[in-house]
Amino acid sequence: MSGRYLLRTFGCQMNEHDSERIAGLLDARGLERTDAVEDADLVLFNTCCIRENADQRLYGQLGRLRAEKARRPGLTVAVGGCLAQKDGADLAARAPAVDVVFGTHNLARLPDLLDTAAASDTPVVEIAAETATFPSTLPAARDKAHTAWVTIAIGCDNSCTFCIVPAVRGREVSRRAADIVAECEMLAADGVVEVTLLGQNVNSYGRDLDGRRPLFADLLRSVDGVAGIQRIRFTSPHPKDLRPETVAAMAECETVCEQLHLPVQAGSDRVLAAMHRGYTAARYLERLESARAGIQDLTVSTDIIVGFPGETEADFQATLDLVEAAQFDSAFTFVYSPRPGTVAAELDDPTPVEEKEDRYRRLTDLQGAISWSRNLELVGRDVEILVEGPSKKDTSRLTGRTRGGKLVHVPDDGNTAPGSLRTARVTGAASHYLTGELAG
Ligand code: SAH
Ligand code: SF4
Ligand code: F3S
């Protein structure tokens, strides 16, 4: 195997992290990366199936590749990730351009599957039901020099009725704490200063390990002890499993950032029950309140779904009320998308699409205003930023992130290297970013 590969990633942070491993495997085989389809000998798509539009984007791109393949019969197309894990051979049948289909549980097999495909006239499909090894053991080609993702668990044992992830990623498997700490040490030695711990529900970390330990809180303390790692983030904790121990560890450990992504999904108790989330709106707000009481200057973000089957105007109003009460710094908002195979996909859904879109717009308008007012509260304050590098839009400015995860743009002073921790004085705020000046 030789030549150039193009790798496109469609999904969440776990999916992006898997892409780093896919790239690592191909780099180790001597392939070179390219961003242009015309230059690629191999095109790889790492897919997502969380919402229908992700599926459509993928099949659209595969359709366009068919013409490219007709021009260059030597081009190889491989599809991995969650949609591949879910659809397997159906994917190859539906998209004739595809030569290799691999899943989320067998990334390590990719180089061999590509070799097999080179000698085969028919598509090679291999999907594993269980993970033999954590992808973390594979070589990685990381996108960023100073920040890194670290997988702490894969899979999910919850049963949110709208969600396809448990069907795709399987049961939750926690990684041994010693392996996680060793990876963080290796990353620190490689110049990484910030790690983001990844799992579908990080709070249930350790439940499947011997003695049901360590707890997530213990893991935070262990990673906090890794020399050179100056910031720890994690995503996502499930609100029903957010324990006081976790909040205490966040408050105590200096390197654990004051940032919490706590997906609420809805504000109506009826809808939350139908979603099988395991908490009420009041319980959620209580948990959020204790987290804010325990951790000074906590930045909070969330995920919200609009238009779950049977959501009424009154239910939606309860979501707006919760958003108003919670004062999130930011929210990822989605219109509900039925996923075949999930419980919710079988429910009656009489609400017209236009109504859902109208609710969506009302929600994003409200959250946009709240995000802006939360950011305005920071104007005049000094914040620590981890400098990422020149801003994409304006290269005379540098971009960095606060401990809370907020984006800050500052004028470049000419001697601030990416990866430095600097103090910035916040001078302005928009709903999605802050502006400031380097200080000190
Ligand atoms: N494990 C994470 C969520 C992963 S999916 C957690 O529980 O925090 C990320 C987000 O996608 C979810 O929080 C939810 O808001 C959204 N989502 C999941 N399934 C969806 C669907 N069928 N339609 C619309 N949004 C969905
Ligand atoms: Fe999906 Fe719920 Fe598991 Fe998150 S916790 S991955 S939303 S089933
Ligand atoms: Fe992530 Fe999408 Fe899979 S959100 S876990 S890539 S279905």
Side-chain angles (χ1 to χ4, degrees), residues 92-413:
R94 189 169 156 190
V98 174
D99 301 293
V100 174
V101 181
F102 62 106
T104 49
H105 294 335
N106 60 346
L107 298 186
R109 293 271 304 137
L110 178 62
D112 289 348
L113 296 177
L114 290 169
D115 287 343
T116 312
S120 160
D121 294 333
T122 50
V124 175
V125 179
E126 189 180 291
I127 304 294
E130 279 175 30
T131 304
T133 48
F134 274 92
S136 317
T137 54
L138 305 174
R142 285 187 290 107
D143 277 347
K144 292 185 175 157
H146 307 286
T147 58
W149 287 303
V150 176
T151 302
I152 66 164
I154 51 175
C156 179
D157 284 353
N158 290 316
S159 50
C160 304
T161 54
F162 52 80
C163 185
I164 192 76
V165 171
V168 174
R169 293 266 176 174
R171 292 201 58 84
E172 186 176 82
V173 183
S174 300
R175 199 172 158 209
R176 283 180 355 128
D179 294 344
I180 297 169
V181 169
E183 186 180 357
C184 292
E185 284 168 349
M186 215 180 62
L187 289 166
D190 202 28
V192 167
V193 290
E194 177 181 300
V195 291
T196 302
L197 309 180
L198 292 182
Q200 295 300 340
N201 176 11
V202 293
N203 291 109
S204 58
Y205 172 78
R207 274 189 208 166
D208 57 314
L209 294 175
D210 280 350
R212 297 171 65 83
R213 286 285 190 284
L215 295 175
F216 180 60
D218 304 327
L219 181 70
L220 283 178
R221 289 200 167 84
S222 304
V223 180
D224 181 53
V226 175
I229 298 296
Q230 311 205 41
R231 287 177 163 192
I232 303 168
R233 304 185 191 284
F234 56 87
T235 196
S236 303
H238 192 297
K240 79 176 161 56
D241 299 318
L242 182 65
R243 301 164 68 125
E245 290 93 325
T246 303
V247 173
M250 288 178 75
E252 269 166 50
C253 297
E254 219 165 279
T255 60
V256 178
C257 290
E258 299 75 27
Q259 180 191 20
L260 194 61
H261 180 65
L262 201 60
V264 67
Q265 313 298 1
S268 147
D269 289 345
R270 207 181 60 78
V271 172
L272 285 169
M275 287 177 162
H276 215 188
R277 288 292 290 179
Y279 53 84
T280 59
R283 189 88 187 99
Y284 178 90
L285 289 171
E286 252 169 60
R287 293 248 153 119
L288 177 58
E289 200 39 54
S290 1
R292 281 190 169 132
I295 306 159
Q296 229 191 332
D297 289 332
L298 185 67
T299 298
V300 184
S301 54
T302 198
D303 291 345
I304 302 173
I305 296 177
V306 168
F308 184 80
E311 181 191 76
T312 62
E313 175 59 28
D315 290 324
F316 175 65
Q317 197 57 52
T319 295
L320 293 180
D321 292 346
L322 181 133
V323 164
E324 188 68 62
Q327 294 286 303
F328 297 115
D329 291 274
S330 61
F332 297 91
T333 45
F334 311 101
V335 174
Y336 169 75
S337 169
R339 303 282 59 205
T342 60
V343 172
E346 303 301 317
L347 300 175
D348 270 350
D349 193 2
T351 312
V353 136
E354 301 74 41
E355 177 67 39
K356 293 190 181 191
E357 278 165 5
D358 182 61
R359 287 180 194 167
Y360 182 82
R361 194 189 39 75
R362 284 151 68 202
L363 173 64
T364 49
D365 283 354
L366 172 64
Q367 182 54 47
I370 295 172
S371 296
W372 191 30
S373 78
R374 296 280 297 169
N375 283 348
L376 277 173
E377 286 168 27
L378 291 173
V379 173
R381 284 184 53 178
D382 285 349
V383 292
E384 179 198 271
I385 59 167
L386 176 63
V387 176
E388 287 177 357
S391 149
K392 283 196 194 95
K393 283 204 192 114
D394 172 0
T395 48
S396 70
R397 296 200 296 176
L398 293 172
T399 292
R401 276 191 198 269
T402 66
R403 286 177 59 98
K406 297 193 178 189
L407 208 56
V408 187
H409 300 295
V410 294
D412 191 352
D413 65 353

